[in-house]
């Protein structure tokens, strides 16, 4: 599920671009800091773990044949979580009253729900066939609105925009239903 932005950032990191490192820090350090601080750490621990995370990330992306098979956010989080759990085990730092490392802090997932693609495909299955075709053409296949308007036989841009809006509303309604 590698996005284009993630791919560009990875390539910039491979090239040693300092701006890419700064962007990575700005985007992902808060997430790592929250995780570490919620699991017996402090701000200094979070900074240390994030620095180690960056080192591991850089080592991994420099390997020949490296392929980012998840989002960069998930990959960074997994590295940080593993490093923090290792530090807890190595230093035998436990939560008050616990006689072992809290298992949930080392096995908790960033996104415990189904992957977003499962949700989106499920939502698309629950909207009309016509809307499903329109939204897939626009967002999955990146077709220009003018081409889609011609293929669908719409008379003008206003009609095309109106159809897109109606389909997005239909998708939102399905997505918010439980």
């Amino acid at each position: 599920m590698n996005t284009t932005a993630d791919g560009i950032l990875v390539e910039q990191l491979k090239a040693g671009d300092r701006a890419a490192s700064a962007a990575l820090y700005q985007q992902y350090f808060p997430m790592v800091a929250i995780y570490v601080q919620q699991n017996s750490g402090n701000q200094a621990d979070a900074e240390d773990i994030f620095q180690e995370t960056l080192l591991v990330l850089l080592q991994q992306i420099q390997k020949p044949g490296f392929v980012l098979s998840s989002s960069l956010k998930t990959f960074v989080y997994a590295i940080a979580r593993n490093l923090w759990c290792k530090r807890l085990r190595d230093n035998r730092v436990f939560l008050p009253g616990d006689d072992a490392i809290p298992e949930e802090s080392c096995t908790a997932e960033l996104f415990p729900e189904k992957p977003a693609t499962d949700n989106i495909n499920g939502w698309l299955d629950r909207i009309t066939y016509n809307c499903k075709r329109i939204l897939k053409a626009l967002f999955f296949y990146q077709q220009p609105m003018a081409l889609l308007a011609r293929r669908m036989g719409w008379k003008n841009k206003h009609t095309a925009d109106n159809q897109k809006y109606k389909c997005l509303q239909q998708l939102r309604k399905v997505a918010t239903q439980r």
Side-chain angles (χ1 to χ4, degrees):
M1 175 165 357
N2 185 5
T3 67
T4 303
D6 285 351
I8 291 169
L9 191 56
V10 166
E11 289 304 315
Q12 291 171 337
L13 288 168
K14 277 184 184 180
D17 185 351
R18 288 188 184 271
S21 296
L24 194 72
Y25 182 86
Q26 185 178 12
Q27 288 178 358
Y28 302 129
F29 175 72
M31 167 188 68
V32 171
I34 288 169
Y35 175 78
V36 169
Q37 290 172 356
Q38 287 178 342
N39 290 287
S40 307
N42 57 35
Q43 183 72 16
D45 292 329
E47 291 169 2
D48 289 346
I49 289 296
F50 194 77
Q51 290 301 318
E52 289 178 46
T53 299
L54 287 180
L55 291 174
V56 171
L57 175 65
L58 292 173
Q59 288 171 347
Q60 291 296 314
I61 65 175
Q62 296 298 335
K63 288 182 178 177
F66 172 79
V67 176
L68 185 62
S69 60
S70 65
S71 72
L72 187 57
K73 180 178 183 177
T74 301
F75 192 63
V76 167
Y77 180 84
I79 294 169
R81 184 186 71 214
N82 289 336
L83 289 171
W84 181 243
C85 288
K86 182 181 183 321
R87 183 176 293 180
L88 286 176
R89 280 190 302 273
D90 290 350
N91 294 335
R92 304 248 184 254
V93 176
F94 307 121
L95 293 176
D98 286 350
D99 44 349
I101 296 171
E103 199 59 35
E104 66 278 358
S105 69
C106 292
T107 59
E109 295 296 323
L110 178 60
F111 304 109
E113 301 172 5
K114 294 189 293 185
T117 54
D118 289 352
N119 289 339
I120 292 167
N121 286 328
W123 298 332
L124 285 172
D125 288 341
R126 294 175 30 209
I127 63 175
T128 63
Y129 175 74
N130 196 41
C131 278
K132 185 176 180 176
R133 281 181 47 209
I134 292 167
L135 294 177
K136 278 188 170 185
L138 289 171
F139 297 107
F140 289 8
Y141 303 114
Q142 309 273 315
Q143 289 185 354
M145 185 63 92
L147 175 64
L148 184 62
R150 279 194 307 270
R151 286 184 54 210
M152 299 298 283
W154 297 326
K155 296 183 191 252
N156 57 40
K157 183 180 176 346
H158 178 72
T159 303
D161 288 337
N162 217 6
Q163 284 297 317
K164 176 183 168 184
Y165 175 78
K166 287 179 181 179
C167 290
L168 285 172
Q169 287 301 102
Q170 199 177 115
L171 187 63
R172 281 186 192 106
K173 183 177 178 183
V174 167
T176 57
Q177 291 175 343
R178 298 239 174 215

